[in-house]
Structures are given as C-alpha cells and as structure tokens.
Amino acid sequence: METVSENRCFGGVQGVYKHASSVCKCDMTFAVFLPAEAAHGPVPVLWYLSGLTCTHENAMTKAGAQAWAAEHGIALVFPDTSPRGADVADDDAFDLGQGAGFYVNATQGPWAPHFQMWDYVTAELPDLLASQFALDMGSQSITGHSMGGHGALTIAMSLPGRFRSVSAFAPICHPTASDWGRKQFTAYLGSDHALWQGHDATLLMQKGGFDGPALIDTGTDDQFGDLLGTEHLANAMAGRRQEGTLRLQKGYDHSYFFISTFMEDHITFHAEALYQ
Amino acid sequence: METVSENRCFGGVQGVYKHASSVCKCDMTFAVFLPAEAAHGPVPVLWYLSGLTCTHENAMTKAGAQAWAAEHGIALVFPDTSPRGADVADDDAFDLGQGAGFYVNATQGPWAPHFQMWDYVTAELPDLLASQFALDMGSQSITGHSMGGHGALTIAMSLPGRFRSVSAFAPICHPTASDWGRKQFTAYLGSDHALWQGHDATLLMQKGGFDGPALIDTGTDDQFGDLLGTEHLANAMAGRRQEGTLRLQKGYDHSYFFISTFMEDHITFHAEALYQ
C-alpha cells in the first residue's frame, strides 16, 4: 500500500492510499479519514460508497463528513466506484464501465476480469484496512449516495452481522425495475434475472430486511427521482416493519449540497449504533 | 444577471450567477449562499475571497461554510479570482493572469483592460448583490484564503467602516517582500513600489490596522509558509495592539482540509460582529 497524500483535518488525518488489488486486477485508490482518537486505539468505521462518475475524492472533498466523524471519533472510508486504468474495459456512457461498478461482481464479457466491486468492498478492502489502520472492524456501519446508496443497502442486507446501521442519500432503490440497473445488470451479470435479485434493495428488503436501524434521505426535487424508485423501497420497508426512517426532504436535489446538508444527521445516527 | 444554477442547501439556496462586468469587461461568475432567513428579509453578508487558481466554485463546494452560515443566518458570497475568457490576457504560470487577479486594479500592459479585481470586489459586485439579493449591506464581514486572505485583509483595512470583522486562512501577509506578490505587483502595477503599499497587509497593519476584530489561522505545516510571511503580520498586529487573534495550527497545511476544519470558528467569529 502506498500513501498518495495525508492532510491534517479536524484534528485527525485525511489520507489517500493506493494498492494493487488482486480482485480487481488493477491499482485501486481509496481514502480514509482517521479521527484523533485513532492515535490511541482502534475506532469505529463508517463506509461511504459513492455514486456514478465519482472516485474516492468527491465525497472526501464535498460531503463535509469529516467534521461530524471527528466529533464522534469515527473513521471514514471512501472507496473508488470501479476498477480503473487503460487495461480496464470502459464505455462511452457515464453510467457503465469505469466510474459505474454498481457494487457487483461482473460475470460477463469484457467486464468480468476487473469489475469485482462486491468482493473488493466487502472482502479485499476491509482486510487491507484492518491490517493497515487503527480500525475496530467489529464496529462498522455503511452509507452511500445514489449508486453508492444502492451498494450500501444491498451489502448491508446481504451480510447480516457485519454492519450496525445502514443509511443512504438518494439511493437507487429498485434497480431491477429502473434504467439505472437493468442496463448495468445486463452488461455485468447477463440476462438471467435471478442473478440480479441479490443486488436490489427493494427485493432484499421484502425478503429479509436489515438487522439494525436504517436511515434514508431523498430530495423531493431529485432530478433523477424517477430512476431511484424510492416508493418501492418505502413500500417494502413499511411492509416488513423494518426499523428505520425514510425522509423526503423538501426542495433538495441529487447534489452534494443535499448530501452535506444531512451528513450530520447520518453520522449522528450511525454513531449511536456504532457505540452501542 | 443570469442564474447558472440553484441548489437547496442547509435550508437555504446555493446559487451560481453570471453577469457582464463593466469593470472587468468580460462575463464574471460568482456564487451566493442565501440562508433560509433571507426569504423573510435582508441578512448579513460574509465575503469569501479565494486563492490562486480558484474560481467561485472551490470554496463553495469544499470549505463546508454553508453549514455554519445557515446556523447563523448569514449569506456567503464567493467571487471569482480574476477576469476570464479567450479575450482576457493570461500567462502559463499558475500564479499570474487568469485565476491570479490578486485583488488589485492593473495599470500595466496586457492586464490593465480586464484585471480590475479591486473595483470588481469592492464596488461593482456589491452594487449588483445589493440590487439582486436580500442582503443587509450595512452588515458585512470578509474572509479569504491565501491570495484571498491577502485580498480580505487589504480590502478590509482600506475601507474603514465597510466590514465589521475580517479573517483569513493562511493569508499572504507581506506580498511586497514575497515571491507571491513582487512578481504579480510588477506585472499588474509596474515597478513603482509606492503603488504596491496599499496592497500589503503587513504595511497596512503598521499604518492604520483594522477598525474591528481580526482572526487569522495558518498551519504550522503550510507548504507555502515561507511565501506567506506570517511573522511580519504577527509583528505588525502585536506592534499596534490590533484587536485580534493569530493562530498557528499544529500540523495543518494549505489545503481545504485545513480551511474546512476551522471554518466553524471563523463564521462564529464573524457572526458575533455581524449581529452586534
């Protein structure tokens, strides 16, 4: 693992690191914020999975998360959203290929060799983090935005016991019924829809839900609202009496101005679960 | 004036606007954050002047200022750092020409026609803002970063009565004695050093200081520390018993991770003066 940069930030350190990923078969970059408390022992971890087109950098610089993570003594992890590089397959569309990994393990065509973001985020990167940083891997929570909200929700529900709490900002809620999902699942996973179901938050919520509290915020003026399918997840959450809160925030859109506005709420929510 | 974008943010609106500037003789873009209170009447104003290479956008997206401005009901103004466009003179160096206006009115060579940032920030833009937004122009304060900290300090000291308080993040403190200053003043103002003195915070502090409180934060690990000349301003502030605080923040550098860490302190500081 190589240190790309480290900057003092809210009493802790905002670092960017690079490593050779064996599951993605390319160099991967990620960012970690360590609060001051990490100098004295392992701290709880909040994962932030980013949306389409993003790298590790967008949320690190624009979400305003470090202020609240520092207040609660929590580390933040910002993975990239896909494998990268000249050798990695890509597509001209912004919503397929590099920057659009969708947090699945691709089985199809040119994507399969590198696009293994599920395994990267749930196995390889956690193992690396546990070995390199003062993190309490027994106290983890997860959040994300848009495609990353989809990732956070599907990963949290698929790995019972791993995460204490889950939240999402404007998540893609029902990708098997959305143009943000069907296109990518067809490309990465193929046409067998049975394989898609483990990557759809609404279907997972109907099936088993999440074994902890959930918090979801989506703007009433989200310009991608029809692609998110929030109503399906709302129905599924209420239907199975999932412990959680789903808020439609008046006037907010899909931007980081929306995310940063509600970041304090989300980190406070996770802190309660992480310190239980 | 044309609206480029408006996003809901911390209960208010983060807007970006464009207008034809008569003093800079080009289109200029700026950003304004209006807190929720602005819907009911004029609110106090905090100017944020940015550093080298920045546009209106950097601080708007990375400084985390809206959270605290919203808490105190204060508007934020983020001007650009220079005139822009294909017709505007430029230089290959990052610290001269577009993105490096240094908050002066150029009198020399190819710069003079457009590089009138002093007049733009102190006259044209305030007039436009007063006519277009619910701002209480009787209650203004000013801050900035690096070159923008230089701008904030020199403008505040040169316009007694205009600003209630001044602050700066890692400001260029003594440009007439620094490579961040001599080069640009020679290019924009010519070789008559007498004309430079009105644009040097240390010299202005020695001469008359600021008629209100001042707050300055600079990191002990600022990678441009030698160019900033903080020691000269510290000497001048203490020498004339300027009301104010100068803090050297251990381990922090010149980045927005530093700025965002101390933004709450700065806005709280300005709020006290703005609501007196």
Side-chain angles (χ1 to χ4, degrees):
Chain A
M1 192 184 82
E2 172 194 336
T3 299
V4 176
S5 63
E6 289 186 331
N7 299 85
R8 194 127 203 96
C9 181
F10 287 96
V13 176
Q14 178 60 63
V16 177
Y17 309 93
K18 196 160 77 169
H19 70 117
S21 164
S22 57
V23 306
C24 292
K25 297 185 182 63
C26 65
D27 282 350
M28 293 291 284
T29 303
F30 63 92
V32 173
F33 170 73
L34 286 183
E37 289 80 352
H40 307 288
V43 295
V45 186
L46 176 60
W47 292 75
Y48 181 101
L49 304 185
S50 285
L52 289 166
T53 77
C54 291
T55 68
H56 67 281
E57 194 178 2
N58 303 63
M60 175 182 84
T61 56
K62 301 199 293 185
Q66 292 92 347
W68 316 114
E71 189 167 308
H72 292 287
I74 294 169
L76 300 169
V77 178
F78 304 99
D80 202 346
T81 59
S82 79
R84 304 272 178 186
D87 298 338
V88 174
D90 203 1
D91 190 275
D92 287 342
F94 77 98
D95 59 1
L96 192 67
Q98 296 188 33
F102 257 79
Y103 306 100
V104 300
N105 291 333
T107 59
Q108 302 295 306
W111 313 109
H114 298 285
F115 283 74
Q116 302 294 317
M117 289 302 291
W118 182 275
D119 282 353
Y120 178 70
V121 166
T122 65
E124 186 182 30
L125 186 54
D127 287 349
L128 179 68
L129 295 173
S131 74
Q132 299 286 331
F133 299 95
L135 303 177
D136 176 3
M137 303 306 276
S139 188
Q140 296 184 67
S141 291
I142 190 164
T143 185
H145 172 229
S146 195
M147 175 183 76
H150 144 76
L153 290 165
T154 55
I155 288 171
M157 286 189 273
S158 301
L159 299 173
R162 170 82 66 98
F163 299 102
R164 303 271 187 102
S165 48
V166 64
S167 78
F169 301 86
I172 302 174
C173 296
H174 196 18
T176 63
S178 167
D179 287 342
W180 273 359
R182 286 187 298 233
K183 171 185 177 177
Q184 295 81 4
F185 290 172
T186 302
Y188 299 146
L189 304 174
S191 55
D192 179 358
H193 290 207
L195 299 177
W196 297 10
Q197 300 192 359
H199 298 286
D200 183 302
T202 295
L203 300 180
L204 290 168
M205 184 60 72
Q206 289 169 349
K207 199 174 157 201
F210 176 66
D211 55 339
L215 170 63
I216 292 160
D217 274 316
T218 297
T220 61
D221 289 9
D222 193 306
Q223 61 269 46
F224 304 110
D226 290 345
L227 291 162
L228 301 180
T230 312
E231 60 277 20
H232 303 293
L233 182 60
N235 183 292
M237 283 179 71
R240 73 172 303 276
R241 312 291 189 265
Q242 167 69 47
E243 174 189 0
T245 303
L246 190 152
R247 308 189 297 193
L248 278 294
Q249 299 286 6
K250 186 175 178 183
Y252 287 88
D253 59 28
H254 204 68
S255 70
Y256 271 90
F257 297 114
F258 157 66
I259 297 170
S260 60
T261 298
F262 298 103
M263 185 57 75
E264 181 181 10
D265 289 357
H266 283 242
I267 292 186
T268 302
F269 161 78
H270 289 297
E272 284 183 24
L274 288 166
Y275 283 109
Q276 263 183 358
Chain B
M1 191 185 82
E2 172 194 337
T3 300
V4 176
S5 64
E6 288 186 332
N7 298 85
R8 195 128 202 95
C9 182
F10 286 95
V13 176
Q14 179 59 64
V16 177
Y17 309 93
K18 196 160 77 171
H19 70 117
S21 163
S22 57
V23 305
C24 293
K25 297 186 182 62
C26 64
D27 282 350
M28 292 291 283
T29 303
F30 62 93
V32 174
F33 171 72
L34 286 182
E37 288 82 351
H40 306 289
V43 295
V45 185
L46 176 60
W47 292 77
Y48 181 102
L49 304 186
S50 285
L52 289 165
T53 76
C54 290
T55 69
H56 67 281
E57 195 179 1
N58 303 63
M60 174 182 86
T61 57
K62 299 200 292 184
Q66 293 92 347
W68 316 114
E71 189 167 308
H72 293 286
I74 293 169
L76 300 169
V77 178
F78 305 99
D80 202 346
T81 57
S82 79
R84 304 271 178 186
D87 298 338
V88 175
D90 203 1
D91 189 276
D92 287 342
F94 78 96
D95 58 2
L96 191 68
Q98 296 189 32
F102 257 79
Y103 306 101
V104 300
N105 291 333
T107 59
Q108 302 296 307
W111 313 109
H114 298 285
F115 283 74
Q116 302 293 318
M117 288 302 291
W118 181 276
D119 282 353
Y120 178 69
V121 166
T122 65
E124 186 181 30
L125 186 54
D127 287 350
L128 179 69
L129 294 173
S131 74
Q132 298 287 329
F133 299 95
L135 302 178
D136 175 4
M137 303 306 277
S139 188
Q140 296 183 67
S141 291
I142 190 165
T143 186
H145 172 229
S146 194
M147 176 183 76
H150 145 76
L153 290 165
T154 55
I155 289 171
M157 287 189 271
S158 300
L159 299 173
R162 171 81 67 98
F163 299 102
R164 303 271 187 102
S165 49
V166 64
S167 79
F169 301 86
I172 301 173
C173 296
H174 195 20
T176 61
S178 167
D179 287 341
W180 273 359
R182 285 188 298 234
K183 171 185 176 177
Q184 295 81 4
F185 290 174
T186 302
Y188 298 146
L189 303 175
S191 54
D192 179 359
H193 292 204
L195 299 176
W196 296 10
Q197 301 191 356
H199 299 287
D200 183 303
T202 294
L203 300 180
L204 289 167
M205 183 60 72
Q206 289 168 348
K207 198 173 158 200
F210 176 66
D211 57 338
L215 170 63
I216 292 161
D217 273 317
T218 297
T220 61
D221 289 9
D222 193 307
Q223 62 268 47
F224 305 110
D226 291 344
L227 291 163
L228 301 180
T230 312
E231 61 276 21
H232 302 293
L233 183 61
N235 182 293
M237 284 179 71
R240 75 171 302 277
R241 314 291 189 265
Q242 168 69 46
E243 174 189 1
T245 302
L246 190 152
R247 308 188 297 191
L248 276 295
Q249 300 285 5
K250 186 177 178 183
Y252 286 89
D253 58 27
H254 203 69
S255 70
Y256 271 91
F257 297 114
F258 156 66
I259 298 171
S260 60
T261 298
F262 298 103
M263 185 55 76
E264 181 181 9
D265 289 356
H266 282 243
I267 293 186
T268 302
F269 161 78
H270 289 297
E272 283 182 24
L274 288 165
Y275 283 109
Q276 263 181 357

